[in-house]
Amino acid sequence: MQQYSVGLIGFGLGGSIFHAPMIAAVPGLRLARIASRSAQAEALGAYPGVRLDDTPQAMLADPAIALVVVCTPNASHHALARAALLSGKHVVVDKPFVLSSAEGEELLALARRRGLRLSVYQNRRWDGDFLTLRRTLESGELGAVHTFRAHFDRYAPQVKARWKEEAQPGAGVLWDLGPHLIDQALQLFGMPRSVTAHLSVQRDGAQVADAFELVLDHGATTSFLHAGALVRAPGPRYQVHGTHGSFVKYGIDPQENALKLGMRPGDPGFGSDATQDWASVTAADGVPRTVETLPGDYVAFYRGMYEAIAHGAPVPVRPEDALDVVRVIELALRSQRERRTVDVDPARTISAGETMY
């Protein structure tokens, strides 16, 4: 098996928890360099053979690095991804892709010209609960879905001193958790016809929006997407209703918490949902049944990146899809500013069949 060296820019929560362990779990990928000013001791302790850099420049100049992963504050995604592409590297960008559709279009065009693979880490496509929901919808058991409700609720009453909660571009919950919920809705039901958004600041001392409610009108289906930081008793993660039945799921995918506790992909029980959190499906007969949660699998993203680089397979997340997520966020921000529902311009979206590869 051919092996490709990977450079990771950023080793905060995202780099250390969501990216490095997944890269290390793929036999064809080798985490070779990490660029981080503040977490070098942690990086060296977790990956003793890795080369540490204060800045990304040496990594980008290293001809042995085939893939660069950008996991830095959101406002820096565009510049770092552009620099990596110009250096001839394949690129993965953590969500959100970029902070404007214009930036995303520029990166797609650059990757096309250079013949490089570009993808975005929408890892929650591989949440076990979402995989289970998707399988249930594909079975047809719910019939035609008319209502999709997805929540990403937390209880974090204290505002933390971190860039995600400071008044700067790309901060706030819409840019943090919004890409997960929006991407899932778009994967299931496509781009909406319109977007209605309500963003709010709920916690004392918060500088940016820490809660949102989005309504995406897909036509026959409406998606209601919610995230908040002051939800002490979370309700269902998913409520999905169709003409023949309903799907209700409590609890959130356990991979993130397992990784924070030091578990790694491949450990016994990694990605397995608690029995009490399995979904309930109620069909037309009105009798609920329990559906076992499929195992979550964040490593699937990097297995897909290896196949894309080594064998020309499609990237695991099309950059076009990630660009459409950014477009929905732009429309949501406009809806909030103008206090109205905003229509989606079909000419500004990418058709499901179009791809850069």
Side-chain angles (χ1 to χ4, degrees), residues 47-347:
Y47 303 96
V50 76
R51 183 164 182 175
L52 301 177
D53 300 306
D54 290 331
T55 66
Q57 279 69 33
M59 177 191 301
L60 298 183
D62 184 350
I65 297 295
L67 172 65
V68 167
V69 178
V70 177
C71 189
T72 56
N74 297 340
S76 64
H77 285 187
H78 170 258
L80 289 171
R82 183 176 183 275
L85 290 169
L86 288 172
S87 299
K89 314 299 185 186
H90 304 292
V91 174
V92 167
V93 186
D94 196 31
K95 64 78 201 167
F97 181 21
V98 285
L99 297 188
S100 74
S101 52
E103 289 180 342
E105 289 166 357
E106 179 190 358
L107 293 181
L108 262 71
L110 179 58
R112 286 191 188 102
R113 290 197 305 270
R114 296 270 172 156
L116 296 167
R117 317 301 271 177
L118 172 64
S119 190
V120 178
Y121 192 61
Q122 293 285 174
N123 62 300
R124 293 198 176 272
R125 292 188 186 185
W126 291 275
D127 275 359
D129 47 19
F130 183 68
L131 294 172
T132 306
L133 169 60
R134 194 163 202 168
R135 183 183 65 179
T136 302
L137 294 180
E138 290 171 351
S139 75
E141 186 174 3
L142 303 187
V145 172
H146 53 78
T147 303
F148 173 70
R149 294 186 181 274
H151 281 228
F152 212 133
D153 294 327
R154 296 173 172 177
Y155 185 69
Q158 302 302 318
V159 177
K160 296 181 180 180
R162 56 178 186 165
W163 67 264
K164 289 183 179 181
E165 303 195 50
E166 297 173 353
Q168 61 175 280
V173 70
L174 183 61
W175 285 109
D176 184 23
L177 301 181
H180 292 312
L181 295 172
I182 294 167
D183 181 70
Q184 290 184 349
L186 268 55
Q187 283 296 293
L188 296 177
F189 309 111
M191 280 293 286
R193 303 186 303 185
S194 67
V195 177
T196 309
H198 176 72
L199 281 69
S200 57
V201 178
Q202 297 182 340
R203 296 174 298 171
D204 291 340
Q207 301 178 41
V208 290
D210 55 11
F212 68 76
E213 180 88 28
L214 303 184
V215 180
L216 310 185
D217 175 9
H218 305 275
T221 307
T222 304
S223 293
F224 299 89
L225 311 178
H226 179 273
L230 285 179
V231 183
R232 195 65 186 92
R237 170 84 162 121
Y238 295 111
Q239 293 183 76
V240 186
H241 304 293
T243 54
H244 296 160
S246 297
F247 176 102
V248 178
K249 173 74 171 66
Y250 284 82
I252 195 165
D253 181 275
Q255 291 176 93
E256 176 178 353
N257 191 53
L259 290 161
K260 288 178 178 177
L261 293 174
M263 292 182 68
R264 291 295 179 260
D267 289 350
F270 182 85
S272 297
D273 201 14
T275 306
Q276 65 267 24
D277 288 336
W278 289 357
S280 172
V281 174
T282 304
D285 60 9
V287 179
R289 67 178 181 86
T290 301
V291 178
E292 182 177 355
T293 309
L294 293 171
D297 187 14
Y298 292 163
V299 180
F301 177 89
Y302 278 106
R303 286 197 297 267
M305 279 306 300
Y306 174 81
E307 292 298 323
I309 295 169
H311 305 300
V315 292
V317 174
R318 302 186 326 141
E320 295 89 346
D321 293 347
L323 181 53
D324 278 344
V325 170
V326 173
R327 289 190 170 111
V328 170
I329 292 176
E330 289 177 325
L331 293 171
L333 293 172
R334 180 180 170 190
S335 171
Q336 171 72 11
R337 280 195 311 272
E338 300 178 2
R339 303 290 182 179
R340 67 180 182 90
T341 296
V342 177
D343 290 335
V344 175
D345 181 0

